Amino acid sequence: PRHHEYFINFCSKCALAGCPPYIWAQKIVMAECRILDARGLVKYLFVLALLALAFTSPCWLVQSYAFNIWLNQLHSPFTDAAMWGITYLGDGIVYLIIVLALLLLRRHKWVVAIAMLAVIQTAICQILKNLVFGGMPRPSKVIPEDIWATLHTVKGVTIHGFNTFPSGHTMTAFALAWFLILHIKLSPVARVGLLLLAALVGISRIYLLQHFYIDVVFGAVLGIYSAKLTQWVFYKFSLRQGWQLVHAV
């Protein structure tokens, strides 16, 4: 309520000063950027971490690869092809495709936004994957050999052995989905569809025996946080550039 009252008073002052509407929107964005300070980002991360722990709590009661085995039993030619295709939606090249599309549409400001998202999300992922949790074994190195011999693998998929946490493909999928939800006016159905598609990317990583369930859950959480952090950085950057932004934060 205090923030809402501030915005109303601020808009009233802008109206009396004869400022055009887009200036109102930009100044509101400026105010919201100040409100979403470092403490706000920490709280956002804390809530997401609690959700991740809640979703991964069953992992403490069963083997880390139990979900891999269960999901692997559902294999078929159709699911092989579907999971193989869906997993590429979390590949880093998706950023490049989006940037090229935005360049063709001459949406240069949003090219900067997507580039920021790619850099921030990739940096978080690589620091965790290669430095903080570097060398953590993937399913192929954890599942006992006698069980692994009974599992189905998809042709054409290279099975990696280490640096399992977090799932980079899942991070990319959820970062892009959440960033679009934050910046584009979408219907509830479209929002749910984006999140379900991102979730399918995560499921595909488990199905293809590349990651554990916990890798995917934390990948999703970190992807969402990457999008939120990028949103804050982007609007701060836009402020300094004097860009006229009318999107809500």
Side-chain angles (χ1 to χ4, degrees):
R2 179 172 57 85
H3 297 153
H4 294 165
E5 182 181 352
Y6 171 78
F7 292 149
I8 293 172
N9 293 336
F10 202 87
C11 289
S12 300
K13 293 178 181 178
C14 288
L16 292 174
C19 295
Y22 71 81
I23 294 295
W24 301 6
Q26 185 171 346
K27 291 184 180 296
I28 289 175
V29 167
M30 292 169 63
E32 289 187 341
C33 281
R34 287 194 295 269
I35 291 171
L36 183 58
D37 56 7
R39 288 178 298 175
L41 291 173
V42 171
K43 292 178 182 177
Y44 201 85
L45 179 60
F46 179 72
V47 172
L48 289 175
L50 289 179
L51 288 174
L53 290 173
F55 276 104
T56 57
S57 56
C59 294
W60 311 117
L61 303 177
V62 297
Q63 291 285 356
S64 59
Y65 51 82
F67 192 57
N68 295 79
I69 296 175
W70 175 80
L71 195 60
N72 187 262
Q73 294 173 351
L74 304 178
H75 70 85
S76 70
F78 172 77
T79 50
D80 283 359
M83 293 294 100
W84 182 85
I86 288 172
T87 201
Y88 280 102
L89 294 178
D91 197 274
I93 197 172
V94 175
Y95 283 123
L96 179 60
I97 294 173
I98 294 175
V99 166
L100 291 175
L102 289 171
L103 284 174
L104 289 175
L105 295 172
R106 297 184 178 180
R107 300 295 181 88
H108 300 110
K109 296 174 184 177
W110 297 105
V111 169
V112 174
I114 294 297
M116 284 183 175
L117 177 62
V119 171
I120 290 174
Q121 181 256 308
T122 303
I124 293 174
C125 180
Q126 294 305 315
I127 289 172
L128 291 175
K129 186 184 289 284
N130 295 300
L131 296 179
V132 180
F133 301 101
M136 282 188 67
R138 295 187 185 229
S140 63
K141 300 298 182 181
V142 174
I143 298 176
E145 292 184 4
D146 56 331
I147 297 178
W148 181 264
T150 65
L151 297 179
H152 171 75
T153 56
V154 179
K155 292 182 179 179
V157 176
T158 302
I159 304 296
H160 300 288
F162 299 96
N163 297 340
T164 187
F165 186 88
S167 168
H169 284 69
T170 308
M171 274 191 72
T172 299
F174 272 91
L176 283 169
W178 200 251
F179 193 79
L180 292 174
I181 289 172
L182 289 173
H183 290 89
I184 299 177
K185 292 183 179 180
L186 300 171
S187 67
V189 174
R191 294 181 179 185
V192 172
L194 279 174
L195 292 176
L196 286 177
L197 190 59
L200 282 175
V201 172
I203 291 173
S204 74
R205 303 308 290 165
I206 302 173
Y207 180 90
L208 296 174
L209 300 174
Q210 299 284 29
H211 286 285
F212 298 107
Y213 172 74
I214 193 171
D215 303 333
V216 168
V217 171
F218 276 91
V221 166
L222 290 168
I224 290 173
Y225 186 73
S226 298
K228 190 65 178 179
L229 179 60
T230 301
Q231 181 193 42
W232 182 71
V233 173
F234 175 58
Y235 276 93
K236 287 284 190 180
F237 177 80
S238 302
L239 242 160
R240 295 185 178 182
Q241 298 299 315
W243 290 348
Q244 298 172 5
L245 297 175
V246 295
H247 294 270
V249 175

